[in-house]
Amino acid sequence: MRRRNFLKISGLSAGTVVTGGSVTGFLISSSGCKKEHHMGMMTEPVMATEGEFFNPLLFPSEAGVNQTLTAQTTTANLKGTNIPVLGYQPNSLLGPSFRINKGDAVNILLQNNLSEHTNIHWHGLKIPALMDGHPDQLANAGGTFRYQFTVNQRAGLSWYHPHPHEMTGKQVFQGLAGLFIINDAEESALNLPSGQQELPLVIQDKRINASGIIYNPSMEEVMAGYMGESIFVNGIYSPFTNVATRYYRLRILNGSNARVYNLAFSNNADMIIIGNDGGLQNNPATVKEILISPGERLDVLVNFNAVPVGSEIFLLSKQFGNGGDAQGKQSFKIMKFKVTTSFTDTFTVPATLSVLNAIPASSAIKTRTFEISNAMEHHGVPMNDGMQMRHRINGKLFDSNVIDENVSPNTNEIWVFDNSDGDEPHPMHLHGVFFQVLGRTGGRGNLIPSENGWKDTVLVMPGEKVRVIVPFENNTGKFVFHCHNLEHEDDGMMLQYQIK
Ligand code: C2O
Ligand code: CU
Ligand code: CU
């Protein structure tokens, strides 16, 4: 049942504040639990505050096939002061960006200098289960974990971040994440904008004060996901970069815990989408705005050719609808492009980028449906945890001792994520595979242009049901799948599948 219906049935209207104890016996309300809040009042969005866009955009250093990543408490200059952060290298929010060729064997040592356990999940890499950063595979405080695998997949933008259950949200929010770029011959043959014209952009919101990056989600913030008021790109607050009147390739990761962005340019320039989570799409698609949820990647070409030298153009997040109480309520600037140089560009956007075959739905040997609405949870009828509202998949919370789904190697399956009765966005992510989105009903009602081709994370908005087809290969072992709103994930909105 959806919120509005429930409110009607229970005789409340939106905006009513249910005070503790007034409707006990049905609504669970007491001073220790904010369910009444969620029932009657909007979950407040965290508004983004814009800076002056004076800070030069920087890029993390690049790393190759041999690298040590030292998870540590360090300090970084954020918004003009040095504050404590977590990093994979000293004095920096993000770890180095790996740039790896298809076929390379990598050898990465995680040195855990934190006072708690951590690990690294390679989000978007198809690698053996024991290398994947499953929440069971941890480096203890002071310990190490060696990641060794061969990169055997097409070019694309992947990333890495910690995955210790119930601590992922905090560790990522406080700074642990990095990019993993794979190059291959198919992609280089296209001669896409590169070097100074290829801009990896990690977009993240942070909550900052003088003592550090604050991570202390209230119960409501576990519900909506934890958001920050300060928008960072590559660990830089309110940045700008100088550009010439030519094409640029923006390789964008939404590395935020919960915030969804609706990207657009302030001059309404075309965003030419050429790729997504799993690399290049078949053909470019031109849009004016595009949603990107936590964990998703976008490969976008933009042409500053028609823009007079001296202009300033902003990458924005525009308002959007249907994002639940806490998302999409505001337009704000993310970063500034200063057009400073004129250039005569000879690049033309290739009409064909790749040749990916659609997997026919008829090839699926099984359909599994996952209920992700959490409707009764949110709306006053507790499940079996009494006071606790929790985010679940099919009514279940993460339990590392339980294999929730058994999958056979080398089979195709249809997985359905059903948020029909929900009121929160859920970016659903599978480890160990890429999938193709077959369709969406409810809500936006269709695929968006960034959803063609290979995906590993798909946004399921309130009211939506999304069907994906997953080719499971012979990569045996157990993997997790979960909501990539990291507060939802840490709250238990994660299950396991095993290929066996
Ligand atoms: Cu980027 Cu299991 O996640
Ligand atoms: Cu992942
Ligand atoms: Cu979620």
Side-chain angles (χ1 to χ4, degrees), residues 205-457:
D205 58 342
K206 303 286 178 201
R207 199 176 295 187
I208 308 284
N209 73 17
S211 60
I213 301 177
I214 308 308
Y215 189 77
N216 58 353
S218 65
M219 188 179 285
E220 288 204 339
E221 287 169 334
V222 171
M223 287 294 110
Y226 196 70
M227 283 172 259
E229 75 297 324
S230 303
I231 311 297
F232 285 74
V233 182
N234 297 347
I236 310 292
Y237 176 66
S238 195
F240 78 94
T241 192
N242 293 334
V243 294
T245 56
R246 60 187 302 183
Y247 276 99
Y248 283 78
R249 180 182 186 192
L250 310 184
R251 310 196 63 179
I252 304 170
L253 162 69
N254 181 351
S256 309
N257 280 32
R259 197 182 275 281
V260 177
Y261 303 88
N262 185 23
L263 300 179
F265 288 107
S266 56
N267 65 344
N268 209 31
D270 286 344
M271 312 184 89
I272 305 166
I273 314 263
I274 59 169
N276 55 8
D277 307 347
L280 294 169
Q281 295 174 295
N282 281 342
N283 307 104
T286 298
V287 300
K288 294 294 186 187
E289 55 186 69
I290 191 91
L291 284 179
I292 183 169
S293 65
E296 288 189 293
R297 285 86 75 203
L298 278 175
D299 204 341
V300 176
L301 296 177
V302 56
N303 191 358
F304 294 114
N305 169 46
V307 182
V309 169
S311 325
E312 298 188 333
I313 292 167
F314 290 89
L315 178 66
L316 312 171
S317 180
K318 293 174 81 171
Q319 275 178 261
F320 56 91
N322 199 30
D325 289 346
Q327 298 265 16
K329 305 292 186 207
Q330 182 196 13
S331 291
F332 53 87
K333 295 170 181 154
I334 296 171
M335 67 170 287
K336 181 164 82 176
F337 296 91
K338 284 168 78 170
V339 184
T340 52
T341 322
S342 77
F343 184 86
T344 308
D345 203 346
T346 54
F347 176 77
T348 53
V349 180
T352 302
L353 301 160
S354 189
V355 183
L356 308 179
N357 297 317
I359 307 173
S362 60
S363 67
I365 61 156
K366 194 176 175 81
T367 297
R368 301 178 201 253
T369 299
F370 299 97
E371 167 57 47
I372 57 169
S373 296
N374 290 299
M376 305 309 271
E377 281 291 306
H378 288 194
H379 303 141
V381 182
M383 295 183 70
N384 43 14
D385 290 330
M387 283 295 294
Q388 286 183 291
M389 299 179 292
R390 303 290 295 271
H391 289 91
R392 298 164 200 266
I393 299 173
N394 279 348
K396 295 194 282 185
L397 296 171
F398 178 67
D399 179 345
S400 80
N401 296 313
V402 175
I403 301 296
D404 301 279
E405 308 295 334
N406 278 294
V407 170
S408 303
N410 303 312
T411 57
N412 296 345
E413 295 196 1
I414 293 173
W415 285 27
V416 182
F417 297 107
D418 187 351
N419 197 16
S420 301
D421 296 326
D423 62 2
E424 292 175 335
H426 298 294
M428 299 304 297
H429 170 53
L430 274 68
H431 284 211
V433 290
F434 285 98
F435 52 76
Q436 294 180 359
V437 186
L438 290 173
R440 170 182 282 112
T441 54
R444 291 169 288 164
N446 225 320
L447 268 64
I448 65 171
S450 54
E451 291 175 332
N452 295 307
W454 292 112
K455 293 284 291 168
D456 61 39
T457 306

Side-chain angles (χ1 to χ4, degrees), residues 130-146:
L130 295 180
M131 291 290 120
D132 181 67
H134 184 283
D136 286 353
Q137 301 285 333
L138 297 166
N140 291 323
T144 61
F145 197 106
R146 187 174 292 281

